[in-house]
Amino acid sequence: MKPSLLIYNIGMLATACGNSAHGGKAQGEIQIIENAYVAVEENKIVAVGEGEVPADLRCDGCKTIDANNKLVTAGLVDAHTHLVFGGWREHELALKLHGVPYLDILAQGGGILSTVCSTRKATEDELFDKTAKALDTMLSLGTTTCEAKSGYGLDFENELKQLNVVKRLQESQPVELVSTFMAAHALPEEYKDDREGYLSLIIDKMLPYVAEHKLADFCDVFCETGVFTAEESRRILTAAQKHGLGAKIHADEIDPIGGSVLAGEIGAVSAEHLIVCPDEGIASMAKGGTIACLLPATSFYLGATFAPARKMVEAGVPVAVASDFNPGSTPNLSLQLAMNIACYRYRLTPEEVLTAATLNAAAAIGKADQIGTVEVGKQADLLIWDADNLNFIFYRYGNNLVQTVIKNGKVVK
Ligand code: NIG
Ligand code: FE
């Protein structure tokens, strides 16, 4: 067998292992190979080993990369972003610094609703160009796969506009995208006196269309005080499941109103944020096989407390870490930064966070059998870091330590 790409002289290869999410002790049990090589054929990893590269993997004419004794990991998987939106919201920073709470800004028609206005005003091409630029930055920061939520259109036409942008980007740039339909991100102004009307628009009109046209793989709801209740969230998410979409839920971000308990009860693939997740929510997620998708950069930016990540890991709930990139609560594209904060503030170990941002994140978007680890048979999504070992990338922060990005077997950065 002659590979199309051979990476040799790897100082340390660090990877989670397997095709499903890991919680408990397994979250920190990764494989480390020193003096390693990885061989790739087309877009798949065909060999991973230690020491001398075997003769049958060497070839004239195939591309080789000398990793110069540096660290190699799987490409990062950002399992939670609000990627496509018009405008920015820098004016809200001043309000936040004056102590105006996130939910008050939303209740006054700002926050998510102000991004809804700018997203509705933007053309599909404008959104496409802006998002392409963001993805280019993410790729150079090591994100090779990214989930993207709609939820700034809040009507048929504009939710589809966001989903279409993701579909077009999927075909035109290297970062692999997974779409989540999130019309239940806020109640649009035109429905402010008609909650039932908006729920029916989502459940009876938008969801069937999105599922039929395969515009999304997941459905998400913002289950929060003043946004959607746990019962409304249940109605939307169980309807989505009937249409074949996986359920995700923004739960326990500000107030614990039952989102994490619901997540476990309905077998949601993931629950997100979970900053104030109660013990019964953790127990429910453990029982329901729900992944906790934690967003430490959001806690950092909002000056909030941090999700009880250690408790979750100990309860056997697999923890994923994502950026939550969006114009309001975290205008940050770097999953690397979120990983650093996860380490410092959740006190998760580098090994646990690596699993969180690769294998567990891949599982949170239904792709753990294809990506998230450096193993034979997986897609060749690899990073070469400007670091000699795994600890180094958690010790240094605020810089981009990714040197080379390989997506689907091709060097893309
Ligand atoms: O995950 N909390 C809800 N949604 C986003 C924020 C969206 C916004 O503020 O525009 C989040 O943090
Ligand atoms: Fe979010």
Coordinates of all heavy atoms in Angstrom, one line a residue, residues 80 82 250 273 324, ligand 2:
H80 N -20.6 23.7 18.6 CA -21.6 24.7 18.9 C -21.2 26.1 18.4 O -20.4 26.7 19.1 CB -21.9 24.7 20.4 CG -22.9 25.6 20.9 ND1 -23.8 25.3 21.9 CD2 -23.3 26.9 20.6 CE1 -24.7 26.3 22.1 NE2 -24.3 27.3 21.3
H82 N -23.0 29.8 16.4 CA -24.1 30.5 15.7 C -23.4 31.3 14.6 O -23.2 32.5 14.7 CB -24.8 31.5 16.7 CG -25.3 30.8 17.9 ND1 -26.7 30.5 18.0 CD2 -24.7 30.3 19.0 CE1 -26.9 29.9 19.2 NE2 -25.7 29.7 19.8
H250 N -30.2 24.4 24.4 CA -29.5 25.4 25.2 C -30.2 25.4 26.6 O -31.3 25.8 26.7 CB -29.7 26.8 24.6 CG -28.8 27.1 23.5 ND1 -28.7 26.4 22.3 CD2 -27.8 28.1 23.3 CE1 -27.8 26.9 21.5 NE2 -27.3 27.9 22.1
H273 N -24.3 24.7 27.2 CA -24.1 25.7 28.3 C -24.1 25.1 29.7 O -23.0 24.9 30.2 CB -25.2 26.8 28.3 CG -25.1 27.8 27.2 ND1 -24.1 28.8 27.2 CD2 -25.8 28.0 26.0 CE1 -24.2 29.5 26.1 NE2 -25.2 29.0 25.3
D324 N -19.0 28.3 20.9 CA -20.3 29.1 20.9 C -20.1 30.4 20.1 O -20.9 31.4 20.4 CB -20.6 29.4 22.4 CG -22.1 30.0 22.5 OD1 -22.9 29.7 21.6 OD2 -22.3 30.7 23.5
Ligands
FE2 FE -25.4 29.0 21.7

